[in-house]
Amino acid sequence: MFPAAVIRRTCGSCCQALYRQTWLNTVTSKERSRLLHSTAVSAAVLKKISQVLAEARPQARSRANEQTPPSLHGNNISKDISKDVADRPPKTKQKSPASRNQRRQPDRSGAAEPSDYRPADPILSMPRVFGDIEQPQDAEVGKFVIFGAANAGKSTLVNRLTGANVSIVSARPQTTRTRIMAAVTIDNKQMLFLDTPGVVSRQGLRRVSRSVVTAPWLTLPEADLAIILLDAYKLTQKTDEVEQYLFKHLRTSSSVPAILVVNKIDLVEDQQKLAEKVKHYMAEYPHIVEGPLFISALGNVNVDSLKSSLLSRTAPGKWQVPASVNSDMSSMMRVEELIRAEWFSRLKGHLPYV
């Protein structure tokens, strides 16, 4: 409101006359009157400023006296100073930098406790670990990996073979994002099925995350037998680019025994074309030990025949899960998968999931 030099002069500091004269010449009488009557400055300070102005410019002395309120004359100055000091608000303790930087907490009255919103511990999503498992005397076990392109029906087949909804199923490709183990125990034989994400061709590598791309190939060496699943409808009605890439990579990087299974035969009309495609792929991988088996996992066609064939290929070994357990998936991961399946069924094309 007032120049720094005038305030310093009022407090007793020395002020150059040249600066005072320059400032007075630039301020009109009307502006000085408005500044002098400002309520933001105490009456005592206004009195001192008016005195400084009178000394700096003698011809303005009488004008300043005329515009000074009556309360500033005589002994009223000391009273005004005492009153001004008494009216000042008490000094508050300055907050420390730590308290100033704290964010203001929202009002949580009537809301749930903050602990209710904490994210779950990642350990809860890890696969379950079983302790000592009760083993029969002649226990047998077999581990089979379901291997194929996206949307070939791998998860549906796993659910059919185990008789439980272990893997979520949707119409979207790459619904399965990681390796999922499902188990079924019949008498003394236990079959472990490894459901994997769909194989991604070289052209689709940039559109899918690395973990999804590598999961099928990293799971393949774990299995005693691979179930290569082909989509019959895709072989006859669409391109089989992914299948060609799959078999080409299998020939050069794997020697796991395999069974060739053709799914969705209930959707095929051109049986001759399908037979030619299947015959071609049977010759592409030299380690196929059985097949082709034509099934429909969704319609439950010939699934029992496949299950019987797999039961005959178990070998003596220890069970890896209790007989009453159908998966090593944790409860937290199971809930996450069910929610994700519901998103896929409801959000249609609005959810970016790849």
Side-chain angles (χ1 to χ4, degrees), residues 100-129:
R100 288 199 303 266
N101 294 334
Q102 289 180 353
R103 295 183 61 184
R104 185 176 181 181
Q105 298 296 329
D107 184 14
R108 295 184 178 274
S109 57
E113 294 296 329
S115 58
D116 296 341
Y117 299 102
R118 292 178 181 174
D121 191 340
I123 297 179
L124 299 177
S125 299
M126 298 183 67
R128 291 186 291 175
V129 178

Side-chain angles (χ1 to χ4, degrees), residues 188-205:
N188 65 319
K189 297 184 177 183
Q190 186 174 87
M191 294 187 294
L192 305 175
F193 300 102
L194 305 179
D195 190 12
T196 61
V199 174
V200 181
S201 65
R202 187 176 300 275
Q203 286 75 11
L205 293 179

Side-chain angles (χ1 to χ4, degrees), residues 78-301:
S78 59
K79 295 180 180 179
D80 291 338
I81 294 175
S82 301
K83 183 179 179 182
D84 180 67
V85 174
D87 293 342
R88 291 177 184 176
K91 293 184 178 180
T92 58
K93 186 178 180 180
Q94 187 177 7
K95 294 183 179 180
S96 62
S99 61
R100 288 199 303 266
N101 294 334
Q102 289 180 353
R103 295 183 61 184
R104 185 176 181 181
Q105 298 296 329
D107 184 14
R108 295 184 178 274
S109 57
E113 294 296 329
S115 58
D116 296 341
Y117 299 102
R118 292 178 181 174
D121 191 340
I123 297 179
L124 299 177
S125 299
M126 298 183 67
R128 291 186 291 175
V129 178
F130 305 97
D132 295 335
I133 301 172
E134 184 179 355
Q135 304 283 343
Q137 293 182 354
D138 54 347
E140 293 186 9
V141 65
K143 186 177 287 187
F144 311 103
V145 58
I146 315 296
F147 201 77
N151 260 22
K154 299 182 296 297
S155 298
T156 304
L157 178 59
V158 168
N159 293 340
R160 283 292 185 186
L161 291 172
T162 59
N165 292 326
V166 178
S167 297
I168 61 174
V169 178
S170 76
R172 289 174 176 263
Q174 302 296 350
T175 298
T176 302
R177 309 287 293 174
T178 185
R179 165 194 174 278
I180 296 176
M181 190 194 77
V184 60
T185 304
I186 301 175
D187 297 332
N188 65 319
K189 297 184 177 183
Q190 186 174 87
M191 294 187 294
L192 305 175
F193 300 102
L194 305 179
D195 190 12
T196 61
V199 174
V200 181
S201 65
R202 187 176 300 275
Q203 286 75 11
L205 293 179
R206 294 185 178 180
R207 299 194 298 268
V208 185
S209 64
R210 180 178 298 181
S211 60
V212 175
V213 173
T214 58
W217 303 104
L218 294 178
T219 307
L220 191 59
E222 297 183 37
D224 303 322
L225 184 72
I227 302 174
I228 303 176
L229 195 65
L230 299 180
D231 186 345
Y233 179 79
K234 186 179 179 182
L235 292 179
T236 57
Q237 302 294 330
K238 299 181 180 180
T239 178
D240 57 347
E241 175 185 342
V242 177
E243 285 75 9
Q244 293 177 10
Y245 171 80
L246 184 153
F247 277 91
K248 180 180 179 180
H249 199 66
L250 273 177
R251 282 198 311 270
T252 59
S253 62
S254 177
S255 58
V256 177
I259 296 178
L260 187 65
V261 179
V262 184
N263 191 25
K264 303 183 184 181
I265 59 171
D266 52 335
L267 302 179
V268 177
E269 297 180 356
D270 193 346
Q271 297 293 335
Q272 183 177 359
K273 184 177 180 179
L274 176 62
E276 294 175 357
K277 287 283 188 179
V278 172
K279 183 179 179 180
H280 167 73
Y281 286 118
M282 282 288 293
E284 287 292 309
Y285 187 56
H287 301 287
I288 294 178
V289 296
E290 186 179 349
L293 297 178
F294 297 91
I295 68 169
S296 174
L298 186 61
N300 198 18
V301 178

Side-chain angles (χ1 to χ4, degrees), residues 170-173 342-354:
S170 76
R172 289 174 176 263
E342 194 66 22
W343 284 352
F344 288 162
S345 63
R346 292 176 180 269
L347 298 182
K348 303 297 181 183
H350 301 287
L351 182 67
Y353 68 102
V354 175

Side-chain angles (χ1 to χ4, degrees), residues 5 8-9 12-16 20:
R8 288 198 301 269
R9 176 68 177 84
S13 302
C14 295
C15 180
Q16 297 180 2
R20 294 200 306 267

